C-alpha cells in the first residue's frame, strides 16, 4: 500500500516523465505532488491522510484535469484519447474525494444543502463498501471498527490506482494520436489559464512580504494603519510589468511553475521601495 499513488509520488513523477518524453517537454499532469506519509497507528488515520493526499493531487496539483467545463478530461474525450464513461468514472471519484475532504477539513453544518449532500455521499460510499447501512450523524463520530476502516482504506487505494491507470492509458493514446499537436496546444493553454488564476494570489503574497520588509527597514518610526492599499497600488501600477517579464520567461525557458522566491526577484527588479517612498511622500 505504501507504493500506492496515495502515499508515494514516484508514480506521479513517472507519469510526468512519460508526458515529457513522449508527448511534449513543456507539459505535465501533476505539479509538485508531495503526499503525507502513511503511518502505522490506525487505518482510520491513514484513510483521512489518503483523502487529503488525493484531494491535493487532483485539486492543488492539477485542477485543470477536472473542471466544470474546458477540462483536460474534456479535451481527451473530444480528441478520442479517452472514453466518456472512463472520464465520468474519474469525475465521480474526484467528486467523492472532494466531499470527504470537505467533511473532514471544513466546518460542517447540516443546515446547509452542500454539507448535507456531501454527508449523504460519504454515508452512501461507506454503506456500499461495507455492504451494510452506515448512518453518519457527525463526521467526528463515525462508528466503524478498525477492520472496517481497513476495508474502506483498501477501496480508496484501489479507486486511486484505477484513476491513475485510466489517465495513463489516455496519455498513451495522446502520444500516438494524429491530433497530438492540437491536444498539446489546448493542454498548454489549460495550464496557463490555471496558473493565471494562481498568479494574482502569488503576486499579492510576494508583494506583501516585500512591503512588510520595506516597513521594517524604512518606516521604523511611522505606524502603518493600512498595509493592503500600498500593496494593491503597487500591483495596479506595476503588475503588467511583472506579467511581461513572466511571458518572456515562458517564451525563453518554456513552460514552468515559478516559486514564490522568483516573484520576489521580479518584484525587486522593478524597485518597489522607491515606489513606496513616493507613495508615502504624497500622503
Amino acid at each position: 500500500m505504501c507504493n500506492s499513488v496515495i502515499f508515494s509520488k514516484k508514480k506521479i513523477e513517472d507519469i510526468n516523465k512519460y508526458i515529457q518524453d513522449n508527448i511534449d517537454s513543456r507539459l505535465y499532469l501533476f505539479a509538485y505532488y508531495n503526499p503525507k506519509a502513511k503511518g502505522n497507528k490506525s487505518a482510520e488515520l491513514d484513510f483521512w491522510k489518503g483523502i487529503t493526499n488525493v484531494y491535493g493531487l487532483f485539486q492543488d496539483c492539477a485542477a485543470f484535469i477536472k473542471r466544470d467545463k474546458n477540462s483536460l478530461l474534456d479535451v481527451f474525450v473530444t480528441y478520442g484519447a479517452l472514453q466518456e464513461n472512463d472520464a465520468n468514472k474519474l469525475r465521480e471519484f474526484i467528486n467523492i474525494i472532494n466531499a470527504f475532504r470537505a467533511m473532514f477539513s471544513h466546518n460542517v453544518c447540516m443546515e446547509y444543502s452542500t454539507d448535507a449532500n456531501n454527508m449523504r455521499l460519504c454515508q452512501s460510499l461507506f454503506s456500499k463498501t461495507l455492504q451494510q447501512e452506515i448512518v453518519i450523524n457527525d463526521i467526528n463520530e463515525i462508528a466503524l471498527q478498525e477492520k472496517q476502516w481497513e476495508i474502506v482504506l483498501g477501496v480508496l487505494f484501489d479507486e486511486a490506482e484505477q484513476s491513475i491507470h485510466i489517465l495513463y492509458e489516455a496519455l498513451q493514446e495522446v502520444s500516438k494520436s494524429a491530433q497530438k499537436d492540437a491536444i498539446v496546444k489546448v493542454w498548454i493553454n489549460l495550464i496557463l489559464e490555471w496558473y493565471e488564476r494562481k498568479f494574482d494570489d502569488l503576486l499579492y503574497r510576494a508583494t506583501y512580504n516585500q512591503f512588510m520588509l520595506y516597513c521594517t527597514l524604512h518606516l521604523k518610526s511611522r505606524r502603518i494603519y493600512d498595509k493592503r492599499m500600498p500593496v494593491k497600488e503597487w500591483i495596479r501600477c506595476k503588475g503588467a510589468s511583472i506579467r511581461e517579464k513572466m511571458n518572456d520567461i515562458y517564451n525563453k525557458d518554456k513552460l514552468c511553475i515559478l516559486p514564490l522566491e522568483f516573484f520576489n526577484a521580479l518584484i525587486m527588479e522593478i524597485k518597489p521601495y522607491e515606489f513606496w517612498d513616493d507613495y508615502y511622500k504624497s500622503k
Side-chain angles (χ1 to χ4, degrees), residues 215-227:
C215 291
T216 301
L217 297 175
H218 296 267
L219 299 176
K220 297 178 182 179
S221 60
R222 181 168 183 170
R223 188 170 182 179
I224 307 300
Y225 292 94
D226 187 354
K227 299 180 177 67

Side-chain angles (χ1 to χ4, degrees), residues 154-214:
V155 170
L156 176 62
F157 273 42
D158 292 343
E159 292 293 327
E161 293 300 311
Q162 179 62 22
S163 297
I164 294 301
H165 179 70
I166 289 172
L167 284 170
Y168 187 72
E169 287 192 330
L171 294 173
Q172 290 178 311
E173 292 298 319
V174 171
S175 70
K176 59 188 179 184
S177 172
Q179 302 295 319
K180 183 169 75 170
D181 290 346
I183 296 173
V184 167
K185 182 177 181 180
V186 179
W187 193 338
I188 288 174
N189 286 334
L190 287 175
I191 292 176
L192 288 173
E193 288 172 9
W194 176 54
Y195 195 69
E196 279 288 309
R197 291 189 177 97
K198 289 181 173 288
F199 174 84
D200 290 340
D201 178 58
L202 288 170
L203 179 60
Y204 181 87
R205 282 191 287 143
T207 306
Y208 185 88
N209 290 342
Q210 289 296 337
F211 178 72
M212 294 303 293
L213 182 59
Y214 167 81

Side-chain angles (χ1 to χ4, degrees), residues 44 54 59 68 70 81 110 121 147 149 153 170 179 191 205-206 224 257 269 273:
E44 178 181 3
V54 178
Q59 297 296 338
D68 292 336
N70 299 326
M110 299 310 293
L121 187 58
K147 190 65 178 178
W149 279 113
L153 176 60
Q179 302 295 319
I191 292 176
R205 282 191 287 143
I224 307 300
I257 293 183
E269 285 183 19
Y273 290 6

